[in-house]
Structures are given as C-alpha cells and as structure tokens.
Amino acid sequence: MSATQEYLQNEFDKPSLFKRLGAYDWLWALLVLIGSGVAYSEYSSLMDSYEVGILFGSAIGLIIFGWYWKPMRHFSLVVAVLSLAAIGLYGDELTRSETNFFLKYLIASQSAIMWMNALFVMATLAYWFALAIGSEFSGKVGTALTWTASVMGTVGLMVRWRESYLISHDVGHIPVSNLYEVFIMFAVITALLYLHYERRYNNRAMGAFVLTVISAAVGFLLWYTFERGAHEIQPLVPALQSYWMKIHVPANFVGYGAFALAAMLGIAYLLLERFPGGKLAARMPSLEQLDDIMYKAIALGFAFFTVATVLGAMWAAEAWGGYWSWDPKETWALIVWLNYAAWLHLRLTKGWRGKPLAWWAIVGLFVTLFAFLGVNMFLSGLHSYGQL
Amino acid sequence: MSETIKRGKPRRGLTVVLMEFLGSMNLAITLLVALAIASVIGTVLQQNQPYNNYVMKFGPFWFEVFKSLSLFDIYGAPWFLILLGFLLLSTSVCVYRNAPSIIKDMRHFRLDVQDKSLRGFHHSDEWHSIYDPKKSVSELGKRLSGLGYRVRVKQHPGHMTLAAMKGSVSRLGYLLSHVGIVVICIGGLLDGNLPLKWAEWRGDIAIETRDIPVSEIADKSILSPDSSSFRGSVNIPEGSSANFIFLGMRDGYLVQKLPFTVELEDFRIEHYPSGMPKSFESTIVIHDDELDEPLKKDIAVNHPLIYKGHAIYQASFADGGSKVALGAWSLDTPLREPLQIDGTIGTDVKLNTPRGSYTLELTDFKRFNIFPLSQNDPSGKKFQNYGPSIVLKLRAANGEAREYVNYMTPIMVDGRPFLLSGMRTSPAEEYRFLHLPVDKEGGIERFLRLLALAQDEERVRAIAQHQAELELGMPRGEEAHTRFSEAMVGLLQTFLDEGIDAIVDHTEKSVPEEKREEALSSFIRIIQGILGGLYLELLAEEGVDTSSGVSAEDGRYFDDAVNAISLLGPYGSPLYLKLEDFQHIEASGFQITKAPGQNIVYLGCVMLMLGVFFMFYLHYRRLWLLVSEDEKGAKVLFAATTHRERGNFDNEFEFLRQELRYLSGAALSRIE
Ligand code: HEM
C-alpha cells in the first residue's frame, strides 16, 4: 500500500509543484541559470537571437524537467562536470585527446561514446540475467549501468560539440547533424525514458526488453564507426546550418525513443500473454500496467513527434521554400504520425486494449525504423544528410 | 433508420446516416491508414521523373497502368486529393458532432444531479461525516480546491450538492487538435495547385513539354502574376534578371509571371577545405515600379527574402553562360595549328572536320573539381583540386553524340603530368579517361608530333619494311616481304583508327583459339616496334642522342603516349579541345513561392500541438458530493467520473475517497 500511496502522492501534488520545491530544487535552478548565463556571456557574439532563445528555452526546460523528475538533476550535474572537465583538459588543442590520459581513455567524445556502447551492452546483460534468475541485485546493477551509460553518451555528445569547434570554427556545430550522432541520442533518450518508467512502476524486468533495442542501436553504431568511419566529425552542408536543427532533431528523437520503448513493451506484453503464470509473470509488471505504459509512451512519443514534424515543416519552409514538399523523409514522418494517430484512436475511442495494440506497436517500430533509417538508405530526397 | 422512414422523414434519415458514416471512427481510421499506404507508394516510387525513365523501368504496359492511376504524381492525383478531402470532411463532421456536448461538459457543473444516478457511477462511495453539512461541504470543498479542482456548491431542499471539475481544458484539447487538422488541410489546399488542375481540366492552360526559350512559349502556358499561390524555380545568370519562374507539372512545365523582376548581381560559393560546399549566397536586386529604388539583398540557404508575399530562396546553382576559349587540336592532321574557338556555355558551335561536320555543344563549365585524393583514404579528409573543367557534347550529323569532360590543367598521375579528357556515349555511363602525356613545354605538341609520324603512311611503311627485313631475313621486293610489311602497316592503321580493342576483336575472329595469345602478343610487339621506331626518329629530330639507349624518362613518355594512342579510336573525336581561357559566369537557382495559406497552416499546427498536449497531459475529472443532514452530522455521497477510463483512475479515486473520508472524520473503510 505504501508504494501506491507514494505514487499517488506524486500524481496528486502536481498542481502544487511550486510548493513542493525544496532547497536543492532552487539550487538546481540557480545552477542551470548560472550555467546558461555563462554560456551566454561567453558565446553570445556567435549566436543569433533564435539561438539565444533556444539556449534560455532549454535552460528553463531543463530546470522544470529536473523539478518533475528529480534524478534528472543529478544526471545533468554529473554530465556537466564531466563535460566541463573534458573541455578544460582539451584547452585549445584537439591533439590532447591523444596525450591526456583522462581524455584518451575516458571522456574524449569517442572514448565516452565507446564507454556508452560497452555499458549499454553490459546493462542489457545484467537486466536479462536479473529477469532470468530473479536476482534483484543484478537488476540494480542494470539500472546503475544504464544510468552510467546514459551519462557517458551525453558527455560524448557534449564533448563532441566542443571538439567540432576545436577542429575549426566553421566546422563547429551541435552534434545532431547526422545518423551517427542521432543514434547516440536515440540510445540515450530511450534509456532515460525507460529509467523514468522503471522508477515510476518500480519494476526492472522491463529493462531487459528496452535495453535490447538500445543494444541493437549500439550494434549499428559500432558497425557504422568501424566500417564507415562515421564517427569522424564532418562539417555541415548549407541546408543544415540552421537553428531549426537544434530543436527539430531532438524533438524527433524523443518521439522515436518513445515509440521504440512502446514496441519493446509490446513484445513483453505478447510474451507475458503467451506464458501467463510463469516466472516471467511474477517478475514483470501486470498486463494492465504494461498496456498502460505502452499507451503512455506512445502518447508521449506522439506529442513530441507532432511538435517535431511541425518544426520540420517550418524549417523546410525556410530551407527548401515550402513547408511541405512530399519529400520522402517528410512523407515518412507523416506515415509514422498517421500510424500512431490510428493507434491512439483505436485505444481511446474504440476501447481497444492489449494484444492487437501490442502487435500494432511492434509494427509501428518497423515503420518508425524505416522513417529514420530506411529512408536514408533506400530513398533519395532533400534530406541529404546521413546517407549510409 | 427503418423507424424514421416509417415516420415519413426519409431525408432527415439520410442526412443522419451520412453524418454518422462521415463522422465514424471506422472511416477515420480507414482514412488514416489508407493515406499512410498511399504515401508509402509515393516515396518508394520516385515522383515526377521524366516519363521516359518510367517507361524504361517498368515497360510500356505497366507505365500506362501506373500513369492512369497517377502513380507518378501521387500527391497530386485526384484519388489522393479525394482521400484527403474525406479526411477533412470526416474530421469536420466529427468535430461538429462532438463539439456541443464537449463545450457543455466543460461549462456545466451539473449541480442538479440525483443521488440515484450518482450511486450508479462506477466510482462512488458513501460515508458519514461527523460535521454538519455546511462544515462538511466547506472542509471538503477547500481540500478539493487545494487539489486543483474548480468547485461549485448549491443548496437544495434537504441536501447540499458540491460539484467539482478539473482539467476541463483537456476536453478543449480534442477540439483544438481536430479543428487544427481541419485548419491545416484548408491552408494546405489554399497553397496547393488545385486551381491549376481545374484550369487545365477546363482547357484554359496547357502544359509546355518542349525545351524552348520563354519568348516562344504559347500564352496558354503562361500564368499571370496575380495567381493566388505557386511554387516554382528559375535560374538567373549573374548580371541577368527574370520576371518569371517555371512551375514543373508532370512531364512539362508552365511559366508563372512575377509582379516584379529579380536581378542576380553576384553569386558566391564557399567550400570547406574538403571541397564540401560551405555556403551558397546570392546578391539579388528586386526591381518593382512600386519601389522608390531597387531593393538589394543577400540571400542564402536558410535565409530567404520575403517580398510582397513572395519568398525567394537560394535553391541551387548552375553555369550561367561562362565564356570559354578553346584550342581545337586536330587528331587527324596533328601538325595543324589549333583552331581557336570562343564560345559561351549553353550554346552550340558548328565544326567542319575531315570526318564530317559536327555540332559542338558547350554544356557546362566548372571552376573547381575537388575530389578525394585517394579512394582508400577512409577518413575522406584529403582532397585535391583538379581545377577547371568543361563539359562538351560532340554531335555528328546523324544525331549521335558523345560527351566529353576536359580538364584545363595537367593532373599528376603516378608522378607524371597528364591532360585528362573523359568520354562517354550516354549519361548513364561513367566517363572513360584519356590520359594525354604532357611534354616538357607543358603542352601536348610532342604527343601530336608522334601521332603525326604514326599517321604518315610512308614513314610507317619504311619502318615496317626495315623491321620485316630483320624479322624474315629476306630483302625487300620479295612478295612475302611485301605482304608481311603491308600487313604491319595495316595493323598499325587499325590500331590508330579503332584502338587496341579492335585488334583483340580481330584476333579473336581470325585466329584459332590455341594460337590467339601468341598472335596477339606478336601483334602488339609489332605495333610497339613500329611506334618505337617512329619515336626514335622523333628523338633524333629533337637532337637527343640515343646511341647508348633511351633514358628512363623518355621511355615512360613513350609508354604513356602509346597508351593514349591506343585509346584514340574509341575516343571517337576528330579533335582534342583544350580549355585555354575562361570567364566564369555563374547562375543562381531560385525557388520562388507564394503561399498565402502558410500562416493558416501554422495556426492549425499551433492548435494541433496545444490540443495534443492538452489531451494527453491534462486529466479531466468531475466529482460530486451530495451532503444531507443526519442525526450525528451529515451523510456524504461521493461520486466521480473521468472522461475516459485512464489506467490509474481507480487509484486516484481511492486516494480521493480516503482523503475525503479522513477529512469527514469517517472510518477509512466502506460502510457497506
Ligand atoms: C488526421 C486526423 C486525426 C488525427 C491526427 C487525430 C488525432 C487524435 C489524437 C492524437 C487523439 C487523442 C487522444 C487523447 O485524447 O489522448 C484523438 C482523439 C479523438 N479523435 Fe482524432 N484525430 C484525427 C481525426 C479524427 C477524426 C476524423 C475523428 C472522427 C471520427 C476523430 C475523433 C476523435 C475522437 C472522438 C477522439 C477522442 C477525443 C476525446 O475523447 O477526448 N479524430 N484524435
């Protein structure tokens, strides 16, 4: 009962968020504001007004995010400390990544990303082990590894951002510009979404499923790095030199991450339905809960995907001369969107539940996957980046 | 429905049925899925390609089938527009039918509910409060306000009713998002090309499919400047201007006049060191009678200019008619001085050659050609600039053409300089490159001198006869000797005219298989022997002393020259056209759009986004407390409902129930 009570408390106190904020929350807000203030004073000469807006917008977003989901504060602070350490160690010399021990083995972007890869795979194993033998300890290890991997992935992106400027000023850009970079973001976002639900539903068994899709992304990243050298930082083609990229791409990946998570829970749902009453059932959340999380994830993904698509249309209006050109990438975003709109209607207005929607969510993952990978591989269009 | 018919109101019945069908969820979901599938087809099948490409890909039969289904222009296909129209209709009907009850729901607290109906709620409870009704209501009401509920109270005879509601904006979410979709579709329709389709269908306009100057285009293919919306493009060379754009339509285009003139003053490209483009930028000047003075602006990718509701985008670039000076070196009479040709990219030049007359089409000019230094440099970081190049087409009188790309400056290959000239017979092929060795003076005169010697039949015959003497050991004049030496001359002639491939072909046809290899190598030896003899004569003419052998450098030059000569046959040109000078004139490609629906679309988008967030993240709940007096305080009847059964409303109700019971001083378990 006490667990529910706490959970209910969470649910209920939302309207009075401000009253609930403690000293640490305000300290957190202050730190974020100071951080963005420093960033502003350092770099404002390089930013246009939109970018200043984005900087402070994300600062405020991060503060509120941290208030709602407390672990975000620790996460962000650790990421900030490590990233700043790396930036400090670099100074103005890109070559320090070879000479400095910490950079070389830990927090140069490439090292951090490799750590992320390794840690995600280890976390996957730990979660599966936990699910298989019911070890609570192994589950906790999985959680810790997932957190650490997410930290390393984010640090990797942050440091990569800096490195791109160290290469040359005109090469510098935010690392959301090609498939390699967004795959890292995909892994991290999916992991964070998962960690959120793990805590809320106090169940680690889902981790085995969700981390599996993250490991698949890691597999792709490794192939992409070693076969194609995709980790090399490349300058931006003119069409991508826009502040829109900074918001359009991340919004999209919240959507993709949430859809992927929902699909993995769909698999879990189908398995659980197939084998009720076994050990799996004892360790997994109930069918209703899985169904509920699946809905929540898709709702979240849909909301962000809506925003991302709208932002994409606005960007297209500026870059290509039309808010809608039926470019393959654009069209596939619409397909994904229509697909999940149908899913939501079936659930919300026709009252569908469970099995068919679980299947639909799994098919949805393939649709989504095609939208963000297949289109780049098989179709040509205006989205010129990220050709495999 | 049968009932309504009996009552004699069939028309109303029909409307109801129709509305029901249009507003039905099944139709909505079917439409969503159908649109998704149609869109998939549109992305898998490349849209709006030249029709020839489709014929080649699918064959004439399927081409016709696909064409009649408009699969090559799906997003403009009537059936696709009808699908969209139905979605619009369906969503509108849905909103129309749901809006009244939703708005009513949001505004009315329903303070007159009966206890009976409250007891019938899935979520309801009853308990005893230790306080009198007034105090009970005010205590519980305060707590509910604290939890974010809007609260209303009404005194009825014998009881008080408290009604509370929270998150009613979430109901607005449905309206906002669905009206948003309708608004987006309307805005999109305003900007779409339906009016054009209509005009085309009525025969008021006709698509132009020929590639002809704008001045020759028929009026029926020209649209007046006051068209309500359009999206097209035009290339403007530096120093020129245009007051029209081209709208691509299926396999042709229309000309859209603009209410102003755009002049391109300057176009600039910057490159990263890797050769990747870094920025495209145009300085344009808008001329318009309504302007006091011309408006000068820079535009770049992601930074369009909006003028009078027209957005002008940097979309592409091309050659804008660069001036080029070419030296045409004859390959048939190599010692002639080169013919000087001055031309403009995009124009043709007539040429008379010993092989007949040709049209030289000056197709394209590139100032830079930056390529990866080596194929096996995976970092892709090292690049080399091959310098300026020109693309030419040489069209023979019978219409056949070959395409050439010639680089202006020598390029080092294996440490030696060559002038590169690529040739292909169709755009689908890769270029095959002729490497012309460059001599010490930096030109190809030396190569041409050697070529002239090879084409001088008398000198070739002299060398052939000499070599035949050595080979056969018999003096000139004998018949076998003459046959042999003439065969050698003929062999060299074939080599010059048709290249090494022809010799290989010839061997395969005329020599039995087991002797082919041997024969081929002796043919090659003979050719090299004759050319070698000629080369020695060339060296002697140049005053080089070859008594103690040929230097390694001269040897390599000879090998390179022989390689080049062996490709001259397939090269197929009577001339080598050397780019000698140029004046680069660029053209900037602009996309110009007029989209009056854009802001409507954006408005719809904002409504949609807000609506979606409202629906998902604000939870709509209504509560009622019916409080009546009883002997020791008050009797409380509590009931709650949410708009939709969310996963955890049970828990939430449980929490509320306990909370309110606690505040009433009641036991925490149910009475019954
Ligand atoms: C492109 C078309 C459409 C999209 C993207 C769309 C999207 C959505 C979304 C995201 C929801 C939300 C879910 C929620 O409350 O959490 C929803 C709900 C709903 N939609 Fe649609 N919709 C579309 C067309 C339609 C049509 C044509 C109808 C009419 C049949 C319809 C009827 C409804 C209804 C009745 C609800 C439930 C509203 C409520 O109970 O609050 N929708 N829609």
Side-chain angles (χ1 to χ4, degrees), chain A residues 36-47:
Chain A
S36 35
V38 170
Y40 176 75
S41 64
E42 279 284 297
Y43 301 117
S44 62
S45 58
L46 303 175
M47 297 195 283

Side-chain angles (χ1 to χ4, degrees), chain B residues 23 93-103 171 174-175:
Chain B
V93 170
C94 179
V95 170
Y96 175 78
R97 291 188 348 149
N98 285 322
S101 70
I102 287 179
I103 292 171
R171 303 292 282 141
Y174 163 79
L175 288 183

Side-chain angles (χ1 to χ4, degrees), chain A residues 295 302 337-338 341 344-345 348-349, chain B residues 23-25 28 32 87 90-91 94 98 171 174 178 181 612 615-616 643-644 646:
Chain A
Y295 160 71
F302 186 81
W337 192 72
L338 291 173
L344 286 165
H345 280 95
L348 293 170
T349 61
Chain B
S24 80
M25 190 43 70
L32 294 183
L87 184 70
S90 162
T91 315
C94 179
N98 285 322
R171 303 292 282 141
Y174 163 79
H178 290 72
I181 287 164
V612 166
M615 276 198 291
F616 289 145
H643 162 55
R644 259 185 260 106
R646 304 272 181 178

Side-chain angles (χ1 to χ4, degrees), chain B residues 360-380:
Chain B
L360 172 65
E361 299 170 12
L362 302 169
T363 314
D364 198 9
F365 170 80
K366 280 211 184 73
R367 175 128 197 199
F368 303 106
N369 287 279
I370 299 171
F371 296 116
L373 192 54
S374 125
Q375 298 295 332
N376 28 7
D377 167 30
S379 75

